[in-house]
Amino acid sequence: MRGWTGGWKAAVVVVLLAGCGAPAGGGGTGADPGPSGSAGTGTGPAESGSSGPDRPSRPARSSPSGPGGSAPSRPTHAPGPPSAPAGGCAAGRAEIIVSPGGPVRQRLCVRPGTVVTLVLRPRPDDRRWTAVRSSAPALVAPADWRVDADGTAHAVLRCAGTRGGGAEVTAAARAPDVAGAARPAFTLRLDVVPYAREG
């Protein structure tokens, strides 16, 4: 009888041990659920950027604009004395002859110290040459004014020897029997241009 009782207890212990080894949760079937976020669900965190290596960004090019975003201003130069024309300037002595029907304004480029002889032919009307005036006597000084018997007028224009600049010499004419001041009838623009300095 004792042998039967011991065998029964052993069987009970085996059964209890087998019951303790069963998985908890009601004995569901199938494979264990895999980790969350498996392939195909799309719930995992999305990768940022492209799959390849990151490319370094290109440095921004600096614009040639000046301060404030505007284009840099070009430096301005103060106006200087008149420059010599392509044909050159007269030097030493020069002569200007004004004939009837010719232009009433002329221009001449000269070097400092030049002496210009102005010859005014007789006018076709009743007006006669009376005088010449300079807008800048310190630069161009009229001298030796005379009128011939036939009405031809002469004047000598002496240019300064060291200075440069411009002056207008005006010749006036008036009818002898008409009252009032003489009116300008011819204008000569003289540009005195110094020689260029070497070096």
Side-chain angles (χ1 to χ4, degrees):
M1 188 66 179
R2 290 181 179 178
W4 174 256
T5 302
W8 178 257
K9 290 180 178 180
V12 173
V13 172
V14 173
V15 173
L16 290 176
L17 293 175
C20 292
T29 60
D32 294 338
S36 61
S38 59
T41 59
T43 58
E47 295 180 358
S48 61
S50 60
S51 59
D54 295 338
R55 296 181 179 178
S57 59
R58 296 181 179 178
R61 295 182 179 178
S62 59
S63 60
S65 61
S70 60
S73 60
R74 298 181 178 177
T76 57
H77 300 280
S83 58
C89 298
R93 290 187 174 273
E95 185 179 47
I96 296 293
I97 299 177
V98 181
S99 300
V104 296
R105 292 186 64 92
Q106 294 188 30
R107 190 166 187 171
L108 179 65
C109 174
V110 296
R111 297 298 185 182
T114 302
V115 178
V116 180
T117 301
L118 179 63
V119 179
L120 304 170
R121 298 296 187 190
R123 298 180 56 83
D125 52 15
D126 59 349
R127 298 171 64 187
R128 293 174 60 90
W129 301 107
T130 58
V132 292
R133 296 180 182 274
S134 173
S135 62
L139 181 65
V140 178
D144 300 337
W145 170 260
R146 77 176 191 272
V147 179
D148 297 339
D150 62 352
T152 302
H154 304 266
V156 176
L157 310 176
R158 302 181 183 276
C159 301
T162 58
R163 295 180 53 189
E168 287 189 350
V169 177
T170 304
R174 180 174 64 88
D177 56 349
V178 176
R183 297 181 180 181
F186 174 77
T187 301
L188 174 63
R189 167 74 183 191
L190 284 175
D191 293 323
V192 182
V193 181
Y195 291 97
R197 296 181 179 179
E198 297 182 358

